[in-house]
Amino acid sequence: MSKNSSNIMALAPNTSNKRETVCIFGTGDFGRALGHKMIQAGYPVVFGSRSTQTSSLIPKDAEVLSHAEAAQKAAIIIIAIQRQHYNFLTSLAEILHGKVLVDVSNNLKINQYPESNAEYLAQLVPGAKVVKAFNTVSAWALQSGTLDASRQVFVCGDDMEAKQMVMDIVRALGLTPLDQGSLLAAQEIENYPLRLFPMWKFPILLSLGLAAFFFFYCLTRDVIYPYVYENKNFLFFIAISIPNRICPILALILLALVYLPGVLAAIIQLYRGTKSRRFPDWLDKWMLCRKQLGLVALAFASLHVLYTLVIPIRLFVRWRISSRIISQALNNKTEPLNNTNAWLSDSYLALGILGFFLFVLLGITSLPSVSNNVNWREFRFVQSKLGYLTLILCTAHTLVYGGNRFLSPSSYRWYLPNAYMLSLIVPCIVLVVKFVLIFPCLDKPLTRIRQGWERNPQHSE
Ligand code: NAP
């Protein structure tokens, strides 16, 4: 009983109102913002500064002392100073001995220095316990209270007790500490705020490349060809018609590219007979950005929906319909309803609507706030089963759109097939290979491999 109650005591938050004094070196933007937030949370704050004169910018409940005097007043010292000014800390080594030094610094470039700023600080003041924290939170966010985007505070350090003390402060400020391990992790934590959408680079570059290719492809087929052969000027197609061709093509190809790495990984695992060997680097990177690829695909699909909605109000479309009616009236001949075409048209639209609906559902479930509320099996069900169903529906939507135009010679201008035909290549490959992989003769060994079975255990790395 006493053992349990002591565990409960250890887990319970410190409910005492009395907070330990915290010292902050540096009265710059970040030091002041953090100091202000700490005072609000009930911490007595003392600043260590080169100048002991207080200014109106410094929180009025805080003391400003010399570095040495301020350091003596607290067990935790937050170093809110740029790394290049750390040298003066060596002269305070004796006072800082045994204290917890919190390194909050960031750099201007990724891997700017051979060692992280926190490790550098630990070298300068070897007797102190250095903890890295707060560098991913901005002074502006602390001041304005708009912390929605960056509530997470990565914390690392070699001394568990020191790290725990810093994490308690982080929690008291209403932030979420994330323990990243020892001080070795500091380099990565310092690089984190300097990254520019690392997972989005490949999907965005790929979609820009594909968009450029399909733009010139459609321009050649739909604008230059009629101009050369029929002297028709369809340059205005670049405003709506061509984007409305490119968007669904990109959406379909990118969606297929979300599922292609999974299929390739399955083939590699079957070939190797083990799951314990690493995939090639390019495949690893590709797998890691599947969510971003899917979201870019969804963005193109949404644009396609918008472009499609304006079709009836386009002047060109209204002109084409009215001239067809006038020509029927002049020839005193009405075109009977072609039932097959009506079926094809309605099925094509229905498949598109259902495909887009599932696409949106996939996008919503990939949002962290939603995916955090489903278990692993539910997440896999949505992303894999519903994902493949979306791919099937969208591919069918494109196939039915093609209808019997695939074989018509007029679909080939300068031997170039219609652009949507090209968009079917990757999705069809993915679906056919996936279909083959679900045959029991392949699915069973693959499942066993994924459960840890190895064909040649001695060859695995
Ligand atoms: P800052 O406004 O330039 O303030 C830096 C402070 O360092 C100065 O106010 C000064 O304080 C002190 N200082 C400057 N030169 C010094 C020297 N030679 N010797 C001793 N102290 C010196 O910078 P900041 O924006 O507050 O950033 C401080 C640290 O927090 C940096 O390492 C930065 O990477 C990190 N950080 C900043 C933010 C942010 O949003 N600003 C976010 C995360 C992390 P005294 O005049 O009081 O001595």
Side-chain angles (χ1 to χ4, degrees), residues 147-386:
L147 278 161
D148 295 345
S150 55
R151 276 188 185 275
Q152 294 182 338
V153 174
F154 298 112
V155 182
C156 74
D158 293 336
D159 188 295
M160 278 308 287
E161 205 184 327
K163 203 159 54 171
Q164 204 53 53
M165 286 163 81
V166 176
M167 298 213 291
D168 286 343
I169 295 181
V170 174
R171 271 186 222 104
L173 300 188
L175 305 169
T176 313
L178 291 177
D179 189 347
Q180 299 292 293
S182 76
L183 212 57
L184 283 175
Q187 185 99 327
E188 207 175 311
I189 297 179
E190 285 168 17
N191 285 338
Y192 184 80
L194 297 169
R195 295 216 177 110
L196 188 70
F197 304 120
M199 292 295 160
W200 288 91
K201 220 185 215 164
F202 172 64
I204 288 175
L205 287 179
L206 180 71
S207 34
L208 284 180
L210 284 172
F213 169 77
F214 279 108
F215 176 78
F216 289 111
Y217 191 90
C218 295
L219 193 74
T220 311
R221 266 188 48 95
D222 302 333
V223 177
I224 301 177
Y225 183 92
Y227 185 74
V228 171
Y229 284 98
E230 298 158 27
N231 200 23
K232 285 181 180 161
N233 184 355
F234 288 146
L235 196 58
F236 64 90
F237 275 8
I238 61 173
I240 290 187
S241 301
I242 292 183
N244 199 23
R245 272 188 210 283
I246 296 174
C247 287
I249 288 171
L250 292 196
L252 186 59
I253 294 179
L254 294 177
L255 181 63
L257 289 179
V258 171
Y259 293 96
L260 184 58
V263 162
L264 291 177
I267 295 172
I268 291 175
Q269 285 178 334
L270 273 174
Y271 174 74
R272 288 175 173 171
T274 175
K275 70 161 186 177
S276 48
R277 276 171 66 188
R278 283 197 55 176
F279 291 126
D281 260 5
W282 57 267
L283 188 56
D284 262 343
K285 285 187 188 146
W286 188 354
M287 298 238 245
L288 284 176
C289 65
R290 282 181 294 180
K291 174 176 154 181
Q292 287 74 10
L293 269 174
L295 289 175
V296 176
L298 177 58
F300 281 113
S302 312
L303 273 178
H304 172 48
V305 170
L306 290 180
Y307 277 122
T308 306
L309 287 176
V310 300
I311 286 178
I313 55 167
R314 288 181 67 199
L315 182 71
F316 172 67
V317 175
R318 283 186 285 140
W319 169 82
R320 215 171 45 179
I321 294 171
S322 55
S323 38
R324 192 182 294 170
I325 294 168
I326 292 165
S327 104
Q328 284 183 27
L330 287 176
N331 296 329
N332 198 18
K333 197 172 125 200
T334 44
E335 264 178 31
L337 175 71
N338 183 329
N339 237 294
T340 315
N341 282 349
W343 260 109
L344 278 175
S345 162
D346 279 9
S347 322
Y348 145 73
L349 290 171
L351 287 165
I353 291 167
L354 289 175
F356 183 67
F357 173 74
L358 290 187
F359 216 148
V360 173
L361 212 63
L362 279 180
I364 292 172
T365 50
S366 73
L367 296 174
S369 53
V370 180
S371 58
N372 288 347
N373 284 316
V374 292
N375 66 29
W376 174 236
R377 200 169 166 207
E378 289 161 345
F379 183 75
R380 273 199 48 139
F381 172 79
V382 174
Q383 292 298 322
S384 173
K385 303 280 186 303
L386 282 190

Side-chain angles (χ1 to χ4, degrees), residues 9-79:
M9 286 291 283
L11 289 170
N14 182 6
T15 47
S16 128
N17 285 335
K18 183 94 185 79
R19 304 244 196 225
E20 296 264 345
T21 301
V22 177
C23 169
I24 301 176
F25 276 8
T27 55
D29 294 340
F30 195 70
R32 288 197 314 269
L34 200 58
H36 183 71
K37 193 89 186 152
M38 284 187 172
I39 289 170
Q40 277 182 343
Y43 286 95
V45 170
V46 52
F47 282 99
S49 173
R50 290 167 302 170
S51 154
T52 52
Q53 282 175 346
T54 53
S55 85
S56 57
L57 294 171
I58 294 172
K60 67 173 172 11
D61 293 323
E63 250 186 300
V64 185
L65 302 172
S66 70
H67 291 117
E69 285 170 325
Q72 273 161 348
K73 293 211 165 195
I76 298 184
I77 299 157
I78 293 168
I79 314 291

Side-chain angles (χ1 to χ4, degrees), residues 24-33 47-51 58 64-65 67 79-88 103-107 117 132-142 193:
I24 301 176
F25 276 8
T27 55
D29 294 340
F30 195 70
R32 288 197 314 269
F47 282 99
S49 173
R50 290 167 302 170
S51 154
I58 294 172
V64 185
L65 302 172
H67 291 117
I79 314 291
I81 296 172
Q82 314 283 357
R83 169 190 168 130
Q84 58 270 32
H85 304 308
Y86 280 3
N87 280 340
F88 81 98
D103 184 294
V104 301
S105 63
N106 280 317
N107 293 320
N117 299 347
K132 180 91 209 174
F134 290 113
N135 68 310
T136 49
V137 183
S138 76
W140 176 82
L142 282 171

Side-chain angles (χ1 to χ4, degrees), residues 84-137:
Q84 58 270 32
H85 304 308
Y86 280 3
N87 280 340
F88 81 98
L89 294 168
T90 49
S91 61
L92 299 173
E94 215 172 293
I95 299 168
L96 299 178
H97 190 88
K99 307 256 180 192
V100 178
L101 299 191
V102 185
D103 184 294
V104 301
S105 63
N106 280 317
N107 293 320
L108 296 176
K109 280 191 248 155
I110 287 184
N111 296 332
Q112 188 171 351
Y113 300 101
E115 75 290 276
S116 67
N117 299 347
E119 286 168 306
Y120 174 62
L121 180 62
Q123 284 166 20
L124 286 179
V125 196
K129 301 162 190 170
V130 175
V131 175
K132 180 91 209 174
F134 290 113
N135 68 310
T136 49
V137 183

